[in-house]
Coordinates of all heavy atoms in Angstrom, one line a residue:
M1 N 25.4 -4.7 -14.7 CA 24.5 -3.6 -14.3 C 23.1 -4.0 -14.4 O 22.7 -4.7 -15.4 CB 24.8 -2.4 -15.3 CG 24.0 -1.2 -14.9 SD 24.4 0.2 -16.0 CE 26.0 0.7 -15.4
D2 N 22.3 -3.7 -13.5 CA 20.9 -4.1 -13.4 C 20.0 -3.0 -14.0 O 19.9 -1.9 -13.4 CB 20.5 -4.3 -11.9 CG 19.7 -5.6 -11.7 OD1 19.7 -6.4 -12.7 OD2 19.3 -5.9 -10.6
H3 N 19.3 -3.3 -15.1 CA 18.4 -2.4 -15.7 C 17.0 -2.9 -15.6 O 16.8 -4.2 -15.5 CB 18.8 -2.1 -17.1 CG 20.1 -1.4 -17.3 ND1 20.3 -0.1 -17.0 CD2 21.3 -1.9 -17.8 CE1 21.5 0.2 -17.2 NE2 22.2 -0.8 -17.7
G4 N 16.0 -2.1 -15.8 CA 14.6 -2.6 -15.8 C 14.4 -3.6 -16.8 O 13.6 -4.5 -16.6
T5 N 15.1 -3.6 -18.0 CA 14.9 -4.5 -19.0 C 15.6 -5.9 -18.7 O 15.3 -6.8 -19.4 CB 15.4 -4.0 -20.4 OG1 16.7 -3.6 -20.2 CG2 14.5 -2.8 -20.8
D6 N 16.4 -5.9 -17.7 CA 17.1 -7.1 -17.4 C 16.3 -8.0 -16.4 O 16.6 -9.1 -16.1 CB 18.4 -6.8 -16.6 CG 19.4 -6.1 -17.6 OD1 19.3 -6.2 -18.8 OD2 20.3 -5.5 -17.0
Q7 N 15.1 -7.5 -16.0 CA 14.3 -8.2 -15.1 C 13.2 -9.0 -15.8 O 12.8 -8.6 -16.9 CB 13.6 -7.2 -14.2 CG 14.5 -6.2 -13.4 CD 15.4 -7.0 -12.5 OE1 15.0 -7.9 -11.8 NE2 16.7 -6.6 -12.4
E8 N 12.8 -10.1 -15.2 CA 11.7 -10.9 -15.8 C 10.4 -10.1 -15.8 O 10.1 -9.4 -14.8 CB 11.5 -12.1 -14.9 CG 12.5 -13.2 -15.2 CD 12.3 -13.8 -16.6 OE1 11.2 -14.1 -17.0 OE2 13.3 -14.1 -17.3
P9 N 9.7 -10.0 -16.9 CA 8.4 -9.3 -16.8 C 7.5 -10.0 -15.9 O 7.4 -11.2 -15.7 CB 7.9 -9.4 -18.3 CG 8.7 -10.5 -18.9 CD 9.9 -10.7 -18.1
Q10 N 6.7 -9.1 -15.1 CA 5.8 -9.6 -14.2 C 4.4 -9.1 -14.5 O 4.3 -7.9 -14.7 CB 6.2 -9.3 -12.8 CG 7.5 -10.0 -12.4 CD 7.7 -10.0 -10.9 OE1 6.9 -9.5 -10.1 NE2 8.8 -10.6 -10.5
Q11 N 3.4 -9.9 -14.5 CA 2.0 -9.5 -14.7 C 1.5 -8.8 -13.4 O 1.6 -9.4 -12.3 CB 1.2 -10.7 -14.9 CG -0.3 -10.5 -15.2 CD -0.5 -10.0 -16.6 OE1 0.3 -10.2 -17.5 NE2 -1.7 -9.5 -16.8
P12 N 1.0 -7.6 -13.5 CA 0.5 -6.9 -12.3 C -0.8 -7.7 -11.9 O -1.5 -8.2 -12.7 CB 0.2 -5.5 -12.8 CG 0.1 -5.6 -14.2 CD 0.9 -6.8 -14.7
T13 N -1.1 -7.7 -10.6 CA -2.3 -8.3 -10.1 C -3.4 -7.3 -10.2 O -3.2 -6.1 -10.2 CB -2.1 -8.8 -8.6 OG1 -2.0 -7.6 -7.8 CG2 -0.9 -9.7 -8.5
P14 N -4.7 -7.7 -10.2 CA -5.8 -6.8 -10.2 C -5.8 -5.8 -9.1 O -6.2 -4.7 -9.2 CB -7.0 -7.7 -10.2 CG -6.5 -9.0 -10.7 CD -5.1 -9.1 -10.3
A15 N -5.3 -6.2 -7.9 CA -5.2 -5.3 -6.8 C -4.2 -4.2 -7.0 O -4.3 -3.1 -6.4 CB -4.9 -6.1 -5.5
Q16 N -3.2 -4.4 -7.8 CA -2.2 -3.4 -8.1 C -2.6 -2.3 -9.0 O -2.1 -1.2 -9.0 CB -0.9 -4.0 -8.6 CG -0.2 -4.9 -7.6 CD 0.9 -5.7 -8.2 OE1 0.8 -6.2 -9.4 NE2 2.0 -5.8 -7.5
C17 N -3.5 -2.6 -9.9 CA -4.0 -1.6 -10.8 C -5.5 -1.8 -11.1 O -5.9 -2.2 -12.2 CB -3.2 -1.6 -12.1 SG -3.1 -3.3 -12.9
P18 N -6.3 -1.5 -10.1 CA -7.8 -1.7 -10.3 C -8.4 -0.7 -11.3 O -8.0 0.4 -11.4 CB -8.4 -1.5 -8.9 CG -7.4 -0.6 -8.3 CD -6.1 -1.0 -8.8
V19 N -9.2 -1.2 -12.2 CA -9.9 -0.4 -13.2 C -11.2 -1.0 -13.5 O -11.4 -2.2 -13.4 CB -9.0 -0.2 -14.4 CG1 -8.8 -1.6 -15.2 CG2 -9.5 0.8 -15.4
A20 N -12.1 -0.2 -13.9 CA -13.4 -0.6 -14.5 C -13.4 -0.2 -16.0 O -13.4 0.9 -16.3 CB -14.6 0.0 -13.7
I21 N -13.5 -1.2 -16.8 CA -13.5 -1.0 -18.3 C -15.0 -0.9 -18.7 O -15.7 -1.8 -18.4 CB -12.8 -2.1 -19.0 CG1 -11.3 -2.2 -18.5 CG2 -12.8 -1.9 -20.5 CD1 -10.6 -3.4 -18.9
A22 N -15.3 0.1 -19.4 CA -16.7 0.3 -19.9 C -16.8 -0.1 -21.4 O -16.0 0.4 -22.2 CB -17.2 1.8 -19.7
C23 N -17.8 -1.0 -21.7 CA -18.0 -1.5 -23.0 C -19.5 -1.3 -23.3 O -20.3 -1.2 -22.4 CB -17.6 -2.9 -23.2 SG -15.9 -3.3 -22.7
D24 N -19.8 -1.5 -24.6 CA -21.3 -1.6 -25.0 C -21.6 -3.0 -25.3 O -20.7 -3.9 -25.2 CB -21.6 -0.7 -26.1 CG -20.9 -1.0 -27.4 OD1 -20.5 -2.2 -27.6 OD2 -20.8 -0.2 -28.3
N25 N -22.8 -3.3 -25.6 CA -23.3 -4.7 -25.8 C -22.7 -5.3 -27.1 O -23.0 -6.5 -27.4 CB -24.8 -4.9 -25.7 CG -25.5 -3.9 -26.5 OD1 -25.1 -2.8 -26.8 ND2 -26.7 -4.2 -27.0
H26 N -22.0 -4.5 -27.9 CA -21.3 -5.0 -29.1 C -19.8 -5.4 -28.8 O -19.1 -5.8 -29.7 CB -21.4 -4.1 -30.2 CG -22.8 -3.8 -30.7 ND1 -23.5 -4.8 -31.4 CD2 -23.6 -2.7 -30.6 CE1 -24.7 -4.3 -31.6 NE2 -24.8 -3.0 -31.2
G27 N -19.4 -5.0 -27.6 CA -18.0 -5.3 -27.2 C -17.1 -4.1 -27.5 O -15.9 -4.3 -27.3
S28 N -17.6 -3.0 -27.9 CA -16.8 -1.8 -28.2 C -16.4 -1.2 -26.8 O -17.2 -1.0 -26.0 CB -17.5 -0.8 -29.0 OG -17.8 -1.4 -30.3
R29 N -15.1 -0.9 -26.7 CA -14.6 -0.3 -25.4 C -14.9 1.2 -25.5 O -14.4 1.9 -26.4 CB -13.1 -0.6 -25.3 CG -12.6 0.0 -24.0 CD -11.1 -0.4 -23.9 NE -10.5 0.4 -22.8 CZ -9.3 0.4 -22.5 NH1 -8.5 -0.4 -23.2 NH2 -8.8 1.2 -21.6
W30 N -15.6 1.7 -24.5 CA -15.8 3.1 -24.4 C -14.8 3.9 -23.6 O -14.5 5.0 -23.8 CB -17.2 3.4 -23.7 CG -18.4 2.9 -24.5 CD1 -18.4 2.4 -25.8 CD2 -19.7 3.0 -24.1 NE1 -19.6 2.1 -26.2 CE2 -20.5 2.5 -25.2 CE3 -20.4 3.4 -23.0 CZ2 -21.9 2.4 -25.1 CZ3 -21.7 3.2 -22.9 CH2 -22.5 2.8 -24.0
G31 N -14.2 3.2 -22.7 CA -13.2 3.9 -21.8 C -13.0 3.1 -20.5 O -13.4 2.0 -20.4
T32 N -12.3 3.8 -19.6 CA -12.0 3.2 -18.3 C -12.5 4.2 -17.2 O -12.7 5.4 -17.5 CB -10.5 2.9 -18.1 OG1 -9.8 4.1 -18.3 CG2 -10.1 1.8 -19.1
N33 N -12.6 3.6 -16.1 CA -13.1 4.4 -14.9 C -12.5 3.8 -13.7 O -12.0 2.7 -13.7 CB -14.6 4.4 -14.9 CG -15.1 5.7 -14.2 OD1 -14.5 6.4 -13.5 ND2 -16.4 6.1 -14.6
T34 N -12.5 4.6 -12.6 CA -12.1 4.0 -11.3 C -13.2 3.1 -10.9 O -14.4 3.3 -11.1 CB -11.8 5.1 -10.3 OG1 -13.0 5.8 -10.0 CG2 -10.8 6.1 -10.8
P35 N -12.8 2.1 -10.1 CA -13.9 1.2 -9.6 C -14.9 2.0 -8.7 O -16.1 1.7 -8.7 CB -13.1 0.2 -8.7 CG -11.8 0.1 -9.4 CD -11.5 1.5 -9.9
E36 N -14.4 3.0 -8.0 CA -15.3 3.8 -7.1 C -16.3 4.5 -7.9 O -17.5 4.5 -7.6 CB -14.5 4.7 -6.3 CG -13.6 4.1 -5.3 CD -12.2 3.6 -5.9 OE1 -11.9 4.0 -7.0 OE2 -11.6 2.7 -5.2
N37 N -15.9 5.1 -9.0 CA -16.9 5.9 -9.9 C -17.9 4.9 -10.5 O -19.0 5.2 -10.7 CB -16.1 6.7 -10.9 CG -15.5 7.9 -10.3 OD1 -15.7 8.3 -9.2 ND2 -14.6 8.5 -11.1
A38 N -17.4 3.8 -11.0 CA -18.3 2.8 -11.6 C -19.3 2.3 -10.6 O -20.4 2.1 -10.9 CB -17.4 1.7 -12.2
E39 N -18.8 2.0 -9.3 CA -19.8 1.6 -8.3 C -20.8 2.6 -8.0 O -22.0 2.3 -7.8 CB -19.0 1.3 -7.0 CG -18.1 0.1 -7.1 CD -18.9 -1.3 -7.3 OE1 -20.1 -1.3 -7.2 OE2 -18.2 -2.2 -7.6
T40 N -20.5 3.9 -8.1 CA -21.5 5.0 -7.9 C -22.5 4.9 -9.0 O -23.7 5.0 -8.8 CB -20.8 6.3 -7.9 OG1 -19.8 6.4 -6.8 CG2 -21.8 7.5 -7.7
L41 N -22.1 4.7 -10.3 CA -23.0 4.6 -11.4 C -23.9 3.4 -11.2 O -25.1 3.5 -11.4 CB -22.2 4.4 -12.7 CG -23.0 4.1 -13.9 CD1 -24.0 5.2 -14.3 CD2 -22.1 3.7 -15.1
I42 N -23.4 2.3 -10.8 CA -24.2 1.1 -10.5 C -25.2 1.4 -9.4 O -26.4 1.0 -9.6 CB -23.3 -0.1 -10.2 CG1 -22.5 -0.5 -11.4 CG2 -24.2 -1.3 -9.7 CD1 -21.3 -1.4 -11.1
A43 N -24.8 2.0 -8.4 CA -25.7 2.3 -7.2 C -26.8 3.2 -7.7 O -28.0 3.1 -7.3 CB -24.9 2.9 -6.1
D44 N -26.4 4.3 -8.5 CA -27.5 5.2 -8.9 C -28.5 4.5 -9.8 O -29.7 4.8 -9.7 CB -26.8 6.3 -9.7 CG -26.0 7.3 -8.9 OD1 -26.1 7.2 -7.6 OD2 -25.2 8.0 -9.5
E45 N -28.0 3.6 -10.7 CA -29.0 2.9 -11.5 C -29.9 1.9 -10.7 O -31.1 1.8 -11.0 CB -28.2 2.1 -12.6 CG -27.6 2.9 -13.6 CD -28.6 3.7 -14.5 OE1 -29.7 3.2 -14.7 OE2 -28.3 4.8 -14.9
R46 N -29.3 1.3 -9.7 CA -30.1 0.4 -8.8 C -31.2 1.2 -8.1 O -32.3 0.8 -7.9 CB -29.2 -0.3 -7.8 CG -28.5 -1.5 -8.4 CD -28.0 -2.4 -7.3 NE -27.5 -3.6 -7.9 CZ -26.2 -4.0 -7.9 NH1 -25.3 -3.3 -7.3 NH2 -25.9 -5.2 -8.5
N47 N -30.8 2.5 -7.6 CA -31.7 3.3 -6.9 C -32.9 3.7 -7.7 O -34.0 4.0 -7.1 CB -31.0 4.6 -6.4 CG -30.1 4.2 -5.2 OD1 -30.2 3.2 -4.5 ND2 -29.1 5.1 -5.0
V48 N -32.8 3.8 -9.0 CA -33.9 4.2 -9.9 C -34.6 2.9 -10.4 O -35.5 3.1 -11.3 CB -33.5 5.1 -11.0 CG1 -33.0 6.4 -10.5 CG2 -32.5 4.5 -12.0
G49 N -34.2 1.8 -9.9 CA -34.9 0.5 -10.3 C -34.5 -0.2 -11.5 O -35.1 -1.1 -12.0
T50 N -33.3 0.2 -12.1 CA -32.8 -0.5 -13.2 C -32.4 -1.9 -12.9 O -31.6 -2.1 -11.9 CB -31.6 0.3 -13.8 OG1 -31.9 1.6 -14.1 CG2 -31.0 -0.4 -15.0
P51 N -32.8 -2.9 -13.6 CA -32.4 -4.3 -13.4 C -30.9 -4.5 -13.8 O -30.6 -4.3 -15.0 CB -33.4 -5.1 -14.2 CG -33.8 -4.2 -15.3 CD -33.8 -2.8 -14.8
I52 N -30.1 -4.8 -12.9 CA -28.7 -5.0 -13.1 C -28.3 -6.5 -13.2 O -28.7 -7.2 -12.3 CB -27.8 -4.3 -12.0 CG1 -28.2 -2.8 -11.8 CG2 -26.3 -4.5 -12.3 CD1 -27.8 -1.9 -12.9
D53 N -27.6 -6.9 -14.3 CA -27.1 -8.2 -14.4 C -25.6 -8.2 -13.9 O -24.9 -7.3 -14.3 CB -27.1 -8.7 -15.8 CG -28.5 -8.9 -16.3 OD1 -29.4 -9.3 -15.5 OD2 -28.8 -8.6 -17.5
E54 N -25.2 -9.2 -13.1 CA -23.9 -9.2 -12.6 C -23.4 -10.6 -12.5 O -24.1 -11.5 -12.1 CB -23.9 -8.5 -11.2 CG -22.6 -8.3 -10.6 CD -22.6 -7.5 -9.3 OE1 -23.7 -6.9 -9.1 OE2 -21.6 -7.5 -8.6
W55 N -22.1 -10.9 -12.9 CA -21.5 -12.2 -12.7 C -20.0 -12.1 -12.6 O -19.5 -11.0 -12.8 CB -21.9 -13.1 -13.8 CG -21.5 -12.7 -15.2 CD1 -20.4 -13.1 -15.9 CD2 -22.1 -11.8 -16.1 NE1 -20.3 -12.5 -17.1 CE2 -21.4 -11.7 -17.3 CE3 -23.3 -11.0 -16.0 CZ2 -21.7 -10.9 -18.4 CZ3 -23.6 -10.2 -17.1 CH2 -22.9 -10.2 -18.2
E56 N -19.4 -13.2 -12.1 CA -18.0 -13.2 -12.0 C -17.4 -14.3 -12.9 O -18.0 -15.3 -13.1 CB -17.6 -13.5 -10.5 CG -18.0 -12.3 -9.6 CD -17.6 -12.5 -8.2 OE1 -17.0 -13.6 -7.8 OE2 -17.9 -11.7 -7.4
T57 N -16.2 -14.0 -13.4 CA -15.5 -15.0 -14.2 C -14.0 -14.8 -14.0 O -13.6 -14.1 -13.2 CB -16.0 -14.8 -15.7 OG1 -15.4 -15.9 -16.5 CG2 -15.6 -13.4 -16.3
T58 N -13.2 -15.4 -14.9 CA -11.8 -15.2 -14.9 C -11.3 -15.0 -16.3 O -11.9 -15.4 -17.2 CB -11.0 -16.4 -14.3 OG1 -11.4 -17.6 -15.1 CG2 -11.4 -16.7 -12.8
D59 N -10.2 -14.3 -16.4 CA -9.6 -14.1 -17.7 C -8.7 -15.3 -18.0 O -8.7 -16.3 -17.3 CB -8.8 -12.7 -17.8 CG -7.5 -12.7 -16.9 OD1 -7.1 -13.8 -16.4 OD2 -7.0 -11.6 -16.7
R60 N -8.0 -15.2 -19.2 CA -7.2 -16.3 -19.6 C -6.1 -16.7 -18.7 O -5.6 -17.8 -18.7 CB -6.6 -16.1 -21.0 CG -7.7 -16.1 -22.1 CD -7.1 -15.8 -23.4 NE -7.2 -14.4 -23.6 CZ -6.9 -13.7 -24.7 NH1 -6.4 -14.4 -25.7 NH2 -7.0 -12.4 -24.8
D61 N -5.6 -15.7 -17.9 CA -4.6 -16.0 -16.9 C -5.1 -16.4 -15.6 O -4.3 -16.6 -14.6 CB -3.7 -14.7 -16.7 CG -3.0 -14.3 -18.0 OD1 -2.6 -15.2 -18.8 OD2 -2.8 -13.1 -18.2
G62 N -6.4 -16.5 -15.5 CA -7.0 -17.0 -14.2 C -7.3 -15.8 -13.2 O -7.7 -16.1 -12.1
Q63 N -7.1 -14.6 -13.6 CA -7.4 -13.5 -12.8 C -8.9 -13.2 -12.7 O -9.6 -13.3 -13.7 CB -6.7 -12.2 -13.3 CG -5.2 -12.2 -13.4 CD -4.5 -12.3 -12.0 OE1 -5.1 -11.8 -11.0 NE2 -3.4 -12.9 -11.9
P64 N -9.4 -13.0 -11.5 CA -10.8 -12.8 -11.4 C -11.3 -11.5 -12.1 O -10.6 -10.5 -12.1 CB -11.1 -12.7 -9.9 CG -9.7 -12.3 -9.3 CD -8.7 -12.8 -10.3
L65 N -12.5 -11.6 -12.7 CA -13.1 -10.4 -13.3 C -14.6 -10.4 -12.8 O -15.2 -11.4 -12.6 CB -13.2 -10.5 -14.8 CG -11.8 -10.6 -15.5 CD1 -12.1 -10.8 -17.0 CD2 -11.1 -9.2 -15.4
R66 N -15.1 -9.2 -12.6 CA -16.5 -9.0 -12.2 C -17.1 -8.2 -13.4 O -16.6 -7.2 -13.8 CB -16.6 -8.1 -10.9 CG -18.0 -7.8 -10.6 CD -18.0 -7.1 -9.2 NE -19.2 -6.4 -9.0 CZ -19.3 -5.1 -8.7 NH1 -18.3 -4.4 -8.4 NH2 -20.5 -4.6 -8.5
V67 N -18.2 -8.7 -13.9 CA -18.9 -8.1 -15.0 C -20.3 -7.6 -14.6 O -21.0 -8.4 -14.0 CB -19.0 -9.1 -16.2 CG1 -19.7 -8.4 -17.4 CG2 -17.7 -9.7 -16.6
V68 N -20.6 -6.4 -14.9 CA -21.9 -5.8 -14.6 C -22.5 -5.2 -15.8 O -21.9 -4.4 -16.5 CB -21.7 -4.7 -13.5 CG1 -23.1 -4.1 -13.1 CG2 -21.0 -5.2 -12.2
R69 N -23.7 -5.6 -16.1 CA -24.4 -5.1 -17.3 C -25.6 -4.2 -16.8 O -26.4 -4.6 -16.1 CB -25.0 -6.2 -18.1 CG -25.8 -5.8 -19.3 CD -26.3 -7.0 -20.1 NE -27.5 -6.6 -20.9 CZ -28.7 -6.6 -20.5 NH1 -29.1 -7.0 -19.3 NH2 -29.7 -6.2 -21.3
I70 N -25.6 -3.0 -17.4 CA -26.7 -2.0 -17.1 C -27.4 -1.8 -18.4 O -26.9 -1.2 -19.3 CB -26.1 -0.6 -16.6 CG1 -25.2 -0.9 -15.3 CG2 -27.2 0.3 -16.3 CD1 -24.4 0.3 -14.9
P71 N -28.7 -2.3 -18.5 CA -29.4 -2.2 -19.7 C -29.9 -0.8 -20.0 O -30.2 -0.1 -19.0 CB -30.6 -3.2 -19.5 CG -30.7 -3.3 -18.0 CD -29.4 -3.1 -17.4
D72 N -30.0 -0.5 -21.2 CA -30.6 0.8 -21.6 C -31.4 0.6 -22.9 O -30.9 0.3 -23.9 CB -29.4 1.8 -21.9 CG -29.9 3.2 -22.2 OD1 -31.1 3.4 -22.6 OD2 -29.1 4.1 -22.1
A73 N -32.7 0.7 -22.7 CA -33.6 0.4 -23.8 C -33.5 1.4 -25.0 O -33.9 1.1 -26.1 CB -35.1 0.4 -23.3
S74 N -33.1 2.7 -24.6 CA -33.0 3.7 -25.7 C -31.7 3.8 -26.4 O -31.5 4.6 -27.3 CB -33.4 5.1 -25.0 OG -32.4 5.4 -24.1
W75 N -30.7 3.1 -25.9 CA -29.4 3.2 -26.5 C -28.7 1.8 -26.2 O -29.3 0.8 -26.0 CB -28.6 4.3 -25.8 CG -27.3 4.6 -26.5 CD1 -26.0 4.6 -25.9 CD2 -27.0 5.0 -27.8 NE1 -25.1 4.9 -26.7 CE2 -25.6 5.2 -28.0 CE3 -27.8 5.3 -28.9 CZ2 -25.0 5.6 -29.1 CZ3 -27.2 5.6 -30.1 CH2 -25.8 5.8 -30.2
L76 N -27.4 1.8 -26.3 CA -26.6 0.5 -26.1 C -26.4 0.3 -24.6 O -26.3 1.2 -23.8 CB -25.3 0.6 -26.7 CG -25.3 0.8 -28.3 CD1 -23.9 1.0 -28.8 CD2 -25.9 -0.4 -28.9
D77 N -26.5 -1.0 -24.2 CA -26.2 -1.3 -22.8 C -24.8 -0.9 -22.4 O -23.9 -0.8 -23.2 CB -26.4 -2.8 -22.5 CG -27.8 -3.3 -22.8 OD1 -28.7 -2.5 -23.0 OD2 -27.9 -4.5 -22.9
T78 N -24.6 -0.6 -21.1 CA -23.3 -0.4 -20.5 C -22.8 -1.6 -19.8 O -23.6 -2.2 -19.0 CB -23.3 0.8 -19.6 OG1 -23.7 2.0 -20.3 CG2 -21.9 1.0 -18.9
I79 N -21.7 -2.1 -20.2 CA -21.1 -3.3 -19.5 C -19.8 -2.8 -18.9 O -18.9 -2.3 -19.6 CB -20.9 -4.4 -20.5 CG1 -22.2 -4.8 -21.1 CG2 -20.2 -5.6 -19.9 CD1 -22.1 -5.8 -22.3
L80 N -19.7 -3.0 -17.6 CA -18.5 -2.7 -16.8 C -17.8 -4.0 -16.4 O -18.4 -4.9 -15.9 CB -18.9 -1.9 -15.6 CG -19.5 -0.5 -15.9 CD1 -20.2 0.0 -14.6 CD2 -18.5 0.4 -16.4
V81 N -16.5 -4.0 -16.7 CA -15.6 -5.1 -16.3 C -14.6 -4.6 -15.3 O -13.8 -3.8 -15.6 CB -14.9 -5.7 -17.6 CG1 -14.1 -6.9 -17.1 CG2 -15.9 -6.2 -18.6
F82 N -14.7 -5.2 -14.1 CA -13.8 -4.8 -13.0 C -12.6 -5.8 -13.0 O -12.8 -7.0 -12.9 CB -14.5 -4.8 -11.7 CG -15.6 -3.8 -11.6 CD1 -16.9 -4.0 -12.1 CD2 -15.3 -2.6 -10.9 CE1 -17.8 -3.0 -12.0 CE2 -16.3 -1.6 -10.7 CZ -17.6 -1.8 -11.3
T83 N -11.4 -5.2 -12.9 CA -10.2 -6.1 -12.8 C -9.7 -6.2 -11.4 O -8.6 -6.5 -11.2 CB -9.1 -5.5 -13.7 OG1 -8.8 -4.2 -13.3 CG2 -9.5 -5.5 -15.2
T84 N -10.6 -5.8 -10.5 CA -10.2 -5.8 -9.1 C -10.9 -6.9 -8.3 O -12.0 -7.3 -8.7 CB -10.4 -4.5 -8.4 OG1 -10.0 -4.6 -7.1 CG2 -11.9 -4.1 -8.5
E85 N -10.2 -7.5 -7.3 CA -10.8 -8.5 -6.5 C -11.7 -7.9 -5.4 O -12.4 -8.6 -4.7 CB -9.7 -9.4 -5.9 CG -8.9 -10.1 -6.9 CD -7.8 -10.9 -6.3 OE1 -8.0 -11.5 -5.2 OE2 -6.7 -11.0 -6.9
V86 N -11.5 -6.6 -5.1 CA -12.2 -6.0 -4.0 C -13.7 -5.8 -4.4 O -14.0 -5.2 -5.4 CB -11.5 -4.7 -3.7 CG1 -12.3 -4.0 -2.6 CG2 -10.1 -4.9 -3.3
R87 N -14.6 -6.3 -3.5 CA -16.0 -6.2 -3.7 C -16.6 -5.2 -2.7 O -16.3 -5.4 -1.5 CB -16.7 -7.5 -3.6 CG -16.3 -8.6 -4.6 CD -17.0 -8.3 -5.9 NE -18.4 -8.0 -5.9 CZ -19.4 -8.8 -6.2 NH1 -19.2 -10.0 -6.5 NH2 -20.6 -8.4 -6.1
P88 N -17.4 -4.3 -3.1 CA -18.0 -3.4 -2.1 C -19.1 -4.1 -1.4 O -19.6 -5.1 -1.9 CB -18.6 -2.3 -3.0 CG -18.9 -2.9 -4.3 CD -17.8 -4.0 -4.5
A89 N -19.4 -3.6 -0.2 CA -20.5 -4.1 0.6 C -21.8 -3.7 -0.1 O -22.0 -2.6 -0.6 CB -20.5 -3.6 2.0
V90 N -22.7 -4.6 -0.2 CA -24.0 -4.4 -0.9 C -25.1 -4.1 0.2 O -25.3 -4.9 1.1 CB -24.5 -5.6 -1.7 CG1 -25.9 -5.3 -2.3 CG2 -23.5 -5.8 -2.8
A91 N -25.7 -2.9 0.2 CA -26.7 -2.6 1.2 C -28.0 -3.4 0.9 O -28.4 -3.5 -0.3 CB -27.0 -1.1 1.1
A92 N -28.6 -3.9 1.9 CA -29.8 -4.7 1.7 C -31.0 -3.8 1.6 O -31.1 -2.7 1.9 CB -30.0 -5.7 2.9

């Protein structure tokens, strides 16, 4: 009989479960968000002139990660980690 537990475990790809994880500059996880909502936050911050730091890296399994840091002088920075390979178009 074939049960779900009889199957080899498979790591989901970033495209199968995209998420934006929100952290502060101490590494504390604040929560998760959809990539679309996180992109809206980033765009809003860019529109008001906030300097955004952004880079790409990979996790221990080689999956691509996109990291975006939104500085906040009055509180802790917001760091968003995207587990999706999909990149939005950037308006010039």
Side-chain angles (χ1 to χ4, degrees):
M1 185 178 283
D2 226 9
H3 296 289
T5 57
D6 295 338
Q7 305 298 318
E8 281 292 317
Q10 295 195 1
Q11 180 83 13
T13 67
Q16 291 171 321
C17 52
V19 67
I21 301 167
C23 303
D24 64 21
N25 49 330
H26 296 292
S28 300
R29 181 177 167 187
W30 291 356
T32 59
N33 209 334
T34 66
E36 296 80 15
N37 286 346
E39 290 295 348
T40 299
L41 170 65
I42 295 166
D44 290 346
E45 290 295 327
R46 279 195 173 118
N47 287 338
V48 297
T50 303
I52 306 288
D53 297 322
E54 185 172 346
W55 62 95
E56 293 181 2
T57 188
T58 57
D59 68 11
R60 288 179 273 188
D61 294 327
Q63 298 292 335
L65 297 174
R66 178 176 161 228
V67 182
V68 179
R69 179 182 158 270
I70 304 170
D72 185 341
S74 64
W75 188 242
L76 299 173
D77 297 349
T78 297
I79 299 170
L80 297 165
V81 180
F82 291 82
T83 61
T84 179
E85 297 177 38
V86 178
R87 294 283 315 254
V90 177

